[in-house]
Amino acid sequence: MQIDLDYAGRHVVVFGGTTGINFGIAQAFARQCARVTVASRRRENVDAAVAQLSTAGGEVLGVVADVRDFDAVGGAFAQSVARFGPVDVLVSGAAGNFLCAAEAMSSNGFKVVVDIDLVGSFHVLRQAHAHLRRPGASVIQITAPQSFVPMRYQAHASAAKAGVDQLTRTLALEWGGEGIRVNSISPGPIDGTEGFRKLMAPTAEDRAFALDQVPLQRFGSLDDIANLALFLGSPYAAYISGALIPCDGGGALESVKPALEAAGRRATG
Ligand code: COA
Ligand code: NAP
C-alpha cells in the first residue's frame, strides 16, 4: 500500500537504486510520475531496473557509476541534470556488507565497506550539492540500525553507517540555510531483500529469531520504506531536517534488550 503524493515533473535521483529497498523507493517515486534517475555499479542491474521502472510511470534514466569513484558520481549527476534538471529529491543508499568477526576481517575487507557506505555517501552528496534545487531539495540517506546499536560481526558497517548518520546531521546544519533538508531513514528487517537474507536471516532459525526482535511482530516491506521516502521528499516534511528516522517496527529498541539483560545480570551478580 502506497501513499499518494504528486511528484509529477519532480526529479528524483536514487543512488544504489537498482535493487532491493532503494529500487522500491525509485519505483514508488516513478508511480507518482516523478522523473527518476537510478545509478549503480552493474550494467545488468541498471538495465533491469530501467526496464521495470519504465512500466511504472514517469520518465527514467539509468546510469552506471560506482560510488567509490568521485568523478563517475559527478558524471552521473551531469547526465541526469542535463536530462531532467535540478534534483528535487536525492536518495543515497548504495551499500555493501558481509558478516565477519573483527579479528578475522582483513584491512581491505573493513575498508571496502567504509569506502562504499561512508566515503561513497560523501561522494554522492558532495557531487549532488551543486545540482540540488534550492530552496526545497530533500536529501535522504539510507542507513541502518547498526549506526546506533552496534552489531556483532559488522564492525565495518556499524562504523560506516554511524558515519553516514553524522554526515546527515552535519550537512543538515551546513545546507539548511540554502533550504536543503537532509535526513536518514534507518530500515529494519525488510523481507525479500539481499541485506535481510545475507545479514539477518541466512537460515530459517535466524529468520525466526529476527522476527522475535520486532515488537510489531512482522518484517518490513519495500512499501514501508518507500512511503517514508515519499513523505520526506514532500512539502509535508518541510520542517524535518537532520533527523535519523527508524522504520523498523520498533526493532532498534528490542535489539538493545539482550545487551541490557547481560549488563543487568552482571550488575546484579
Ligand atoms: N568475509 C570476509 N571478508 C570478505 C567477505 C566475507 N564474506 N567478502 C568480502 N571480503 C573481503 C575480501 O576478502 C576482500 O579483502 P582482501 O582483499 O583482504 O581479501 C575485501 O573484502 C573486498 O572484497 P571484494 O569482493 O573484492 O569487494 P567488491 O568491491 O567486489 O564487493 C562487497 C564489495 C564485499 C561489499 C560485496 O559484498 C558487495 O558488492 N556487496 C553489495 C551488495 C550487498 O552487500 N548488499 C547487502 C546490503 S548492504
Ligand atoms: P541491495 O539490494 O544489495 O542494494 C544495494 C544497492 O547498492 C544495489 O542497487 C547495488 O547495485 C548498489 N551498490 C552496491 N555497491 C555499490 C557501489 N560501490 N556503487 C554504486 N552502487 C552500489 O541491498 P538492500 O538490502 O536492499 O539494502 C539497501 C540499503 O538499505 C542499504 O543502504 C542497506 O544498508 C540498507 N538497509 C537494508 C536493510 C534490509 O533489511 N535489507 C536493513 C537496514 C538497512 P550494484 O550491485 O549494481 O552496484
Side-chain angles (χ1 to χ4, degrees):
M1 186 177 55
Q2 270 181 19
I3 57 174
D4 198 11
L5 291 168
D6 184 13
Y7 275 94
R10 312 296 269 173
H11 182 189
V12 178
V13 177
V14 188
F15 247 92
T18 58
T19 63
I21 288 176
N22 307 321
F23 177 75
I25 293 172
Q27 197 169 39
F29 279 105
R31 286 187 183 132
Q32 303 299 327
C33 300
R35 299 163 144 184
V36 178
T37 300
V38 286
S40 78
R41 282 172 308 178
R42 285 183 270 204
R43 164 62 62 195
E44 65 271 26
N45 285 349
V46 171
D47 289 346
V50 168
Q52 218 178 321
L53 291 172
S54 301
T55 64
E59 295 171 75
V60 187
L61 173 69
V63 185
V64 176
D66 190 317
V67 292
R68 290 169 285 190
D69 182 339
F70 185 65
D71 292 338
V73 173
F77 281 105
Q79 277 187 63
S80 66
V81 169
R83 173 97 176 262
F84 296 141
V87 178
D88 295 288
V89 179
L90 169 66
V91 180
S92 175
N97 198 352
F98 54 82
L99 297 175
C100 184
E103 65 272 21
M105 196 181 290
S106 70
S107 169
N108 195 36
F110 187 87
K111 186 172 180 298
V112 75
V113 170
V114 172
D115 275 350
I116 298 170
D117 293 23
L118 178 54
V119 182
S121 297
F122 174 73
H123 288 167
V124 170
L125 271 60
R126 168 70 178 79
Q127 290 286 23
H129 179 253
H131 305 293
L132 293 173
R133 191 181 299 282
R134 35 175 73 72
S138 170
V139 176
I140 301 165
Q141 299 222 79
I142 307 301
T143 61
Q146 51 268 49
S147 142
F148 42 95
V149 182
M151 288 185 194
R152 287 175 181 81
Y153 316 123
Q154 295 193 47
H156 46 9
S158 297
K161 292 292 195 180
V164 171
D165 279 338
Q166 280 301 68
L167 192 58
T168 290
R169 289 146 63 97
T170 308
L171 296 187
L173 281 176
E174 291 193 19
W175 296 355
E178 298 174 69
I180 297 167
R181 297 182 294 111
V182 188
N183 293 291
S184 287
I185 294 177
S186 175
I190 306 303
D191 209 1
T193 63
E194 174 68 7
F196 179 64
R197 268 191 301 272
K198 187 172 163 181
L199 308 165
M200 290 174 258
T203 67
E205 195 187 345
D206 295 325
R207 194 179 158 87
F209 179 77
L211 186 59
D212 200 41
Q213 300 292 301
V214 184
L216 285 183
Q217 284 295 291
R218 72 166 174 86
F219 296 125
S221 68
L222 295 182
D223 281 355
D224 286 323
I225 306 299
N227 281 334
L228 180 53
L230 287 169
F231 168 68
L232 283 176
S234 79
Y236 297 108
Y239 205 50
I240 301 177
S241 194
L244 318 177
I245 307 177
C247 186
D248 63 357
L253 305 173
E254 193 69 32
S255 57
V256 176
K257 211 171 125 198
L260 288 182
E261 282 172 349
R265 272 198 303 277
R266 278 196 300 279
T268 55

